[in-house]
Amino acid sequence: IMRDKDTPKREIIKFNDIPHKYPQSIFNKKGHTIRTQKHFVKCSAVGIAVLSNETFTPNEIKILFGMLQFVKLDKVCSGALVYDGIPINKKRLMELLGDPNQNTFDACIERLEDKELVRRVQWHNSIIYYVNPFVFMNGEMTDPTTFALFYQSKWNVYGD
């Protein structure tokens, strides 16, 4: 990594010198649960390793990571992208992602489908989007539809 000569080098902090500047009341014996009410998306450890060997364009990364914020949060995880309780169609997804160029968006979605990370599904009169739960998911379970969509993908290395 190139560093500007005027940028100071960050020193490595010693473990015993880590400042514990937080209210002790928020930390219990087992640790601190971070923002349980907030939305987190998990990436499997195997997924991280395999993703690191994939080649992505900057636009693919932008669109994929943008999509992840809409992975449905519920007691049962679904890979369907949802906003305000409604599955997201192409037009709405493009709006939510800042209106990328349509040709760029379409090409990125196709490449993400080729990589088996995303699937488009006809739902009523719309195309909606699913994210592969063997790579990214929210919660501990997936619904039968999402599971079936990605069961035979290269990412299902667990044989589930």
Side-chain angles (χ1 to χ4, degrees):
I1 297 175
M2 298 294 291
R3 182 182 293 277
D4 185 297
K5 66 180 182 175
D6 297 327
T7 304
K9 186 176 178 182
R10 183 174 293 272
E11 292 182 32
I12 296 174
I13 191 167
K14 294 178 183 167
F15 183 81
N16 290 335
D17 293 340
I18 297 172
H20 292 278
K21 296 179 181 176
Y22 53 82
Q24 293 296 313
S25 62
I26 68 168
F27 204 84
N28 65 37
K29 291 179 184 177
K30 293 183 179 179
H32 177 67
T33 302
I34 298 176
R35 303 178 193 198
T36 55
Q37 331 60 321
K38 301 294 182 184
H39 186 108
F40 281 81
V41 174
K42 298 185 252 185
C43 181
S44 73
V46 172
I48 292 170
V50 178
L51 280 171
S52 68
N53 291 319
E54 292 281 342
T55 303
F56 294 93
T57 67
N59 285 326
E60 288 171 355
I61 291 171
K62 184 177 180 181
I63 288 173
L64 177 61
F65 279 41
M67 293 173 88
L68 293 178
Q69 66 188 303
F70 304 111
V71 173
K72 181 181 172 187
L73 174 60
D74 202 341
K75 289 182 181 173
V76 174
C77 167
S78 171
L81 305 185
V82 176
Y83 185 79
D84 283 342
I86 301 168
I88 301 173
N89 64 19
K90 177 181 176 178
K91 180 181 177 189
R92 184 66 176 136
L93 181 58
M94 289 181 67
E95 289 170 1
L96 292 167
L97 296 178
D99 284 319
N101 173 283
Q102 183 168 338
N103 291 334
T104 301
F105 178 84
D106 290 342
C108 288
I109 292 295
E110 283 186 27
R111 287 191 300 270
L112 293 171
E113 278 192 304
D114 290 345
K115 293 174 182 176
E116 300 178 330
L117 294 168
V118 172
R119 288 294 308 266
R120 291 177 284 188
V121 173
Q122 179 78 41
W123 184 71
H124 299 288
N125 294 327
S126 295
I127 300 294
I128 61 171
Y129 299 86
Y130 282 77
V131 173
N132 191 329
F134 293 102
V135 184
F136 302 106
M137 78 181 296
N138 193 342
E140 297 177 3
M141 299 174 68
T142 188
D143 65 278
T145 301
T146 307
F147 187 79
L149 277 173
F150 296 100
Y151 178 74
Q152 294 184 326
S153 77
K154 66 183 177 185
W155 301 95
N156 183 1
V157 297
Y158 309 105
D160 291 341

